[in-house]
Amino acid sequence: MDGRRDRVAGAMRLLADGDRDGATSVLRAALAEAPDDPDILHGMACVARASGRPDLAIGLAGRAIAILPAAHFHITLGCALHEQGHLEPARAALHVATLREPRDARAHAALAAVLGEMGRWGEAEASLRAALGLRPADTALLLDWARAAIMGDGVGIGPRLEASARRFVAQDAGRLHGLAVLLSERGRHAEAEILYRLVRDRCPDQGAAWANHGAVLFALNRHEEALAALEQADRLAPDVPETLNNLGLVLMALGHLPRAGVALAAARRCAPDDARIVVNDATILTDMGEDAAAERLLRGVLADPVAARGAEGARAEFNLGTLLLARGAMAEGWRHLEARERLLPEMRWPALAPWDGSALPHGRLLLHAEQGLGDAIQFLRYLPYCLRRVGVVLDLPPALHRLARTMPDPEGLIASRCMVLSDEAPVPDDVVARCGLLSLPHLLGMAEVPPFVPYLLPPVPEGARVGAPRVGLCWAGNPAFRFDRRRSIPPQMLASLGDVGGVCFISLQHGAAAGDPPFAMEPAATGDWLDTARVVAGLDLVITVDTAMAHLAGAMGRPVWLLNRFGGDWRWSAVFDRAEAPRWGNGTSRWYPSLEQFRQDGPEVPACAWQAPIAALRAALECWRCVDR
C-alpha cells in the first residue's frame, strides 16, 4: 500500500515539474496493478486536467470519489467540471470539498472562481476571504479577493492592497493594473489611484505606468500631481498620443493654454484619425480664440460617417454648436447644440417622446433642467414663450423650486399652464412629451436673444440698501468641474477688494469655498436659492465669477460684475455685448443688461491672467462707491 502511495506521489512530482508523459507512465503501471485504487484514479484525473482533457478527469475523479469521498478528490472534480463549463455541478462539488476539509484554502479559492463566473460575487468574496484566512501571505489569493470584492461592490479594496504594498513585485503589476481599471470603470477613482500608484512604483521605468497614474490623478482633479506624472510619462515614452492628450487636458485645466495647445496638437499629429483627440484639440483652439481652425477640425469629424455617429461625433457637434453661438450664428448653433442629448446620462423618461416644438393636441410637456443651475436659471426666461404653445410640467432641481415661483406672470400663463414637479414626485399621467430647457430656443425658432425684463423677483428684504453700499462676492464655482480652476479665483487674489472703504461686503459663496473668504465679510446665505436671491435683492452690487450667481443676479436685474476668463463660455462672448459701451468693465451682455464683464485679455496662466481684470474691478469699485445708485 505504501509503495503505491509513493508511486502516486512520485507521479505528482513529475506532473508538477511538467513531465506529463512520465507521470502518465507511472500511474498507468500502478493502475494496472490496482484498478480500483482511489489515489491512482485521482492522480490520473490530475494528469487528464493537465493534458487539457477535463472530460476524462471528470470520469476518473468521479470513480475515485465513489470509492473514497476525499476533499481533494472533490476539488479536482469541481475544477474539471468548471473547465467543462458545468458551473452548478462544479459549485456543488467544491462546496462539498469545503465542508469536508474547511482548512484547505484550495477548495475555497476554487469555489470562489466558480461563484465568480456565476456572477455570485458576494459569495466569491467570502470564499476568498476564508482562503486568505488560511494563507494570509498568498499574494495571488489577495489579488483574487480584490477582484471579487470590486465586482461585488465591496469597499476598502484600495487601502487594503496599499497596506500590503511590500508584498507586491513587478510581476504583480499586470494584475494590479487590471484591478485599477475595474475600479476606474466603476467611477471609484480614489481607490484606483492607489493601485495605479502601486503599479507605477513597481514599474518606474515604464511610461505607461506613469501615464495611467497621471490620468486617474486628473480624474480626481489633482492637477499638479497629474501634470508631474504625465510629464514623466512623456519623458520615458515620447510621442504617445494618449499621454499627450491627457497632458494637454491637464494643462488646459490648470490654465496653461499655449502649452496645452502644443501638447494637443502633438497628440493629433501622432493620431490624426482619433476623433476624441481631434475634438480636444479643437476645444483648446476655441479657448485660444482660433475659431476658424477649431471649426475646420470639428466639421472634419462630422464629415466622417463613422466618427459622426459615435460619442465623439456628438461631442464635435455640441462643441460646434457652442462655437457658432459664440459667433452669433444662433439658429445653426442651437440646432447643433441638440447633440448634447447624446452625451447626457440615460434619459429618466425613455417612454416619453421628445417634443418637436409644436402644440400638443392633448396632454402636457415635461420641461426639465439638464445641466447646471446657471443654465436652468438662464433658460427659464424662455418658459413664457413655451407656455403659449403647450401646458408644462416643470422639473427643476429642488434648490430652484421656490425661486422659480417668483417669476412674474403678467399673462397668467405660468399660473394656469405650468406646474412645478415636487421633489421625487411621479410624472403626471397626462404628460406626453419631454424637452430640455436648453432646447427651447431651437424648438421655438428663437434665433435672437429675447427682450429682457427681470424674470426672477424675490421680495426685497425690509431695510435693504440703506447705509453703506452692500456688495455681494462669489469667487468660486463647483470644484468638481474639471476646468473649475480657470473660472474660479483663489481668494487671496481678491484680498485687495477688502481695502475699498465705505463698502459692506456680503459673502454669496456656496460650498466648501465659503469657509475660506478673501477677507472678513458677512457670512454666506444658507438655504435654497430663494434664500440666496433674497440676499441678492438687498444688495447694491454683485461681484462674481462665472457661476450660477451671475445668472441669478442678472435674471433679477440686479447690477452684477462678472470676472470672466479668457476664451470663456459662449454666452459671455463679445458678440452678445450690448450696443452701449460698458460703464465700468470691458464687456456687457444682452442676456442680462445689468451685467458688466471684467474679462481677461489673454491666455496667460490664471495667476497672471486675473491680475489685470481684478485691478480694473478694484479701481471701478472705488469709483462706483462714490456715485449715486
Side-chain angles (χ1 to χ4, degrees), residues 254-532:
L254 287 167
H256 300 289
L257 299 188
R259 289 179 61 196
V262 170
L264 287 165
R268 181 166 57 85
R269 285 194 298 273
C270 293
D273 297 325
D274 189 323
R276 178 176 51 96
I277 291 175
V278 173
V279 174
N280 288 339
D281 192 19
T283 301
I284 189 62
L285 288 169
T286 302
D287 283 355
M288 293 280 288
E290 300 179 36
D291 289 358
E295 184 175 355
R296 282 196 300 273
L297 291 179
L298 295 172
R299 291 194 185 277
V301 172
L302 295 176
D304 181 330
V306 176
R309 288 194 299 268
E312 296 311 320
R315 278 186 64 214
E317 186 172 2
F318 176 81
N319 288 1
L320 178 61
T322 62
L323 187 153
L324 292 167
L325 287 171
R327 186 186 295 163
M330 296 184 72
E332 188 181 1
W334 292 133
R335 177 167 55 83
H336 285 299
L337 209 67
E338 291 298 286
R340 74 190 183 282
E341 186 161 319
R342 293 160 57 194
L343 300 170
L344 293 172
E346 186 176 344
M347 177 56 61
R348 288 181 288 163
W349 312 281
L352 292 178
W355 186 46
D356 63 3
S358 62
L360 295 174
H362 58 83
R364 291 184 288 177
L365 171 70
L366 180 68
L367 183 62
H368 58 91
E370 56 192 85
Q371 297 194 61
L373 295 174
D375 284 329
I377 291 171
Q378 179 182 5
F379 284 83
L380 276 174
R381 71 188 300 166
Y382 289 93
L383 177 61
Y385 301 94
C386 179
L387 290 171
R388 290 171 188 164
R389 297 191 188 182
V390 290
V392 164
V393 173
L394 185 60
D395 182 51
L396 295 172
L400 295 180
H401 284 185
R402 293 198 303 149
L403 178 65
R405 294 189 179 99
T406 71
M407 293 186 71
D409 192 16
E411 300 176 72
L413 290 170
I414 296 176
S416 63
R417 308 197 71 189
C418 181
M419 161 194 166
V420 178
L421 192 65
S422 61
D423 190 20
E424 298 186 0
V427 175
D429 292 338
D430 66 338
V431 170
V432 296
R434 59 173 171 82
C435 173
L437 275 168
L438 273 70
S439 291
L440 288 180
H442 170 63
L443 296 175
L444 297 174
M446 300 178 69
E448 297 294 334
V449 177
F452 180 84
V453 292
Y455 58 91
L456 294 175
L457 297 176
V460 179
E462 191 173 337
R465 305 178 201 162
V466 176
R470 294 172 60 80
V471 176
L473 184 62
C474 176
W475 57 92
N478 183 354
F481 174 51
R482 180 170 282 187
F483 300 104
D484 180 64
R485 291 202 186 187
R486 290 191 52 214
R487 66 171 179 181
S488 296
I489 301 177
Q492 64 271 18
M493 294 193 72
L494 295 171
S496 64
L497 299 184
D499 298 332
V500 177
V503 173
C504 176
F505 283 96
I506 296 89
S507 172
L508 296 176
Q509 186 62 52
H510 286 229
D516 184 26
F519 47 84
M521 62 181 78
E522 288 188 22
T526 58
D528 66 6
W529 279 77
L530 177 60
D531 295 315
T532 301

Side-chain angles (χ1 to χ4, degrees), residues 139-140 143 167-178 198-199 201-204 206:
T139 301
L143 293 171
R167 291 164 51 181
F168 299 120
V169 296
Q171 288 76 11
D172 297 316
R175 294 197 65 191
L176 287 167
H177 172 80
L198 291 175
V199 174
D201 291 345
R202 273 137 199 86
C203 306
Q206 293 187 14

Side-chain angles (χ1 to χ4, degrees), residues 240-257:
V240 176
E242 186 65 23
T243 300
L244 291 167
N245 177 69
N246 288 334
L247 181 59
L249 294 176
V250 170
L251 287 165
M252 185 160 53
L254 287 167
H256 300 289
L257 299 188

